[in-house]
Amino acid sequence: MPNRCSILFFSVFLACCAMARAQEPVQDPSAYVTDVLGVTEERLAPGYWIEKTPNPDRPFLTREEIAAFNAKTFDLDEHLVDLSALPPSLDRATLEAYVREISTPSTSERITRAGRTLTPRDYKRYEKALNLRAVADENPVRFGLVVRRTSMRTYPTDDQVYSPGAGRDIDRFQETGLFPGQPVAVLHASRDGKWVFAQSYNYRAWMKAADVAIGARAEVTGFTQNGRALLVTGAKVFTTYNPEEPAVSEVQLDMGVRLPLAAGAEYGHDLYGQNPYASYVVKIPVAGDDGRLTLKPALIARSQDVRTEYLAFTPRNVIEQAFKFLGERYGWGHDYNGRDCTGFVSEVYKTVGALMPRNSGQQGEGAYGVNIRFDENAPYEEKLAAIKKLEPGDLIYIPGHVMMFLGLDGDVPYIIHDVHGYGHLDAEGDYYSGTLNGVSVTPLTTLYLSAEKSFIDRVYNLKKMR
């Protein structure tokens, strides 16, 4: 049995512990916490940057100037294709060259999701699927509209492959995404007929045959050109659910998608059992059992983030559009139902009507726009001074990545970008490696690729979409 002194000591000890706990600061569960240097919660709101922008509603370009900008971009850049100008057929050499531009065995090791290294036998199977023996001397060019969000792939396969030691976020067979209503030229078919090799306005690769509806050239290329159209200005919106036509029910539409509007009285006052007066009626491409194109009406509620005109190209609109993606997970080549760095900036610029090539190198090296280029020996201070003169929406390129300028906070340039990795130097000058893996706001000056190399060290071009 414990003596009276030990009981008294233990009681005093417990009381002291309770007092110590009571004096400890209580952690506020709502306190904002991040390992990203220079970021506070208020900096994650578009209004913070709009307030710092002089005359945020001034137009950078008018609608007519944007149309001229696009025309010049298509003239200057070989990666952009006017589908309506394609020939009726492609010869053997041209078609085979197009396929080989994208479908070539990698010179680097690739592994499956399970970690098995791809072998020559694997590539032989992929090569066989290309169906190049079926390429004729002349190959007709067909046209179609994409019927659902889908992927373009390196080979006609769903197999996912990765770089060893790089995790499972970047599927090296994933090229880019396509969206409902997007016109494509269909150039070739896989051996099993389940995939087609297609050309969009800014990319060529393999897509699933079931995701495109084949139609007449004029109908496809003029899909949104011959009347009023509805523009998706939200990150993602959906057609309204209906129980009668599954093909047009709850269809996902990403930012920048445009669909033709139906005439006001075309479908009366009852569509799929719903009065359409509080919605927009759009025409959605659908593939019939034979793969042929039909257009069916769908409802999009007026409460959704959509517009009947392109947005004005102003600092306010570019900032607000970019922030609609804030926090979306990074998706290499539009994987993970998201987008990557170039998909992010491209979709934002589609809402003001401006088009650009698909990949960051194609964009950064492209002659379109106003470019401020640096060679590899340009000093850090020269680049930083030029960056500080940018305006919201201007683009900053390093090898393999593009960032959108937001503005200066004090004397520090801030950016918004869709980015995978994250690194900075800590207080001791050591390299800290973390992750962002999504659309993020960061200061530019604190970003490092390694202990020796900052993002600014690697900047090779600043581009104004003008």
Side-chain angles (χ1 to χ4, degrees), residues 170-251:
I170 297 179
D171 174 4
R172 293 296 179 178
F173 279 180
Q174 177 73 14
E175 294 291 337
T176 189
L178 295 170
F179 305 97
Q182 189 167 344
V184 294
V186 176
L187 310 179
H188 182 51
S190 63
R191 191 168 185 266
D192 62 8
K194 294 181 179 180
W195 296 78
V196 293
F197 189 75
Q199 167 79 67
S200 72
Y201 77 94
N202 68 352
Y203 216 75
R204 279 189 296 265
W206 294 92
M207 65 176 293
K208 290 184 177 179
D211 293 341
V212 60
I214 303 299
R217 174 194 289 252
E219 183 180 23
V220 168
T221 58
F223 182 57
T224 57
Q225 309 300 319
N226 303 323
R228 295 179 67 227
L230 193 69
L231 171 70
V232 174
T233 46
K236 297 181 178 77
V237 307
F238 296 84
T239 61
T240 304
Y241 170 81
N242 81 76
E244 300 177 19
E245 284 287 352
V248 298
S249 176
E250 295 187 312
V251 177

Side-chain angles (χ1 to χ4, degrees), residues 71-120:
K72 185 175 181 180
T73 301
F74 273 71
D75 285 342
L76 288 173
D77 202 290
E78 64 180 355
H79 303 104
L80 296 176
V81 174
D82 178 2
L83 298 183
S84 66
L86 287 176
S89 65
L90 298 178
D91 61 46
R92 182 191 302 273
T94 299
L95 179 53
E96 289 182 347
Y98 283 170
V99 173
R100 283 303 182 194
E101 282 176 358
I102 196 74
S103 303
T104 303
S106 175
T107 57
S108 301
E109 182 183 0
R110 295 286 184 254
I111 61 173
T112 66
R113 178 169 282 276
R116 179 181 65 82
T117 298
L118 290 190
T119 66

Side-chain angles (χ1 to χ4, degrees), residues 262-311:
E266 191 171 350
Y267 297 101
H269 306 297
D270 185 336
L271 184 58
Y272 308 130
Q274 180 177 349
N275 193 317
Y277 84 103
S279 304
Y280 294 102
V281 182
V282 297
K283 296 184 178 182
I284 297 277
V286 173
D289 293 339
D290 59 355
R292 300 297 299 179
L293 171 66
T294 59
L295 299 180
K296 294 190 176 182
L299 294 173
I300 297 179
R302 288 178 181 258
S303 59
Q304 297 264 6
D305 192 347
V306 292
R307 299 288 187 277
T308 57
E309 302 286 346
Y310 285 112
L311 297 175

Side-chain angles (χ1 to χ4, degrees), residues 443-463:
L444 179 56
T445 48
T446 60
L447 296 181
Y448 276 73
L449 295 161
S450 67
E452 297 77 27
K453 191 70 67 175
S454 73
F455 270 46
I456 292 179
D457 289 328
R458 298 287 282 156
V459 168
Y460 70 88
N461 190 29
L462 310 176
K463 185 184 291 286

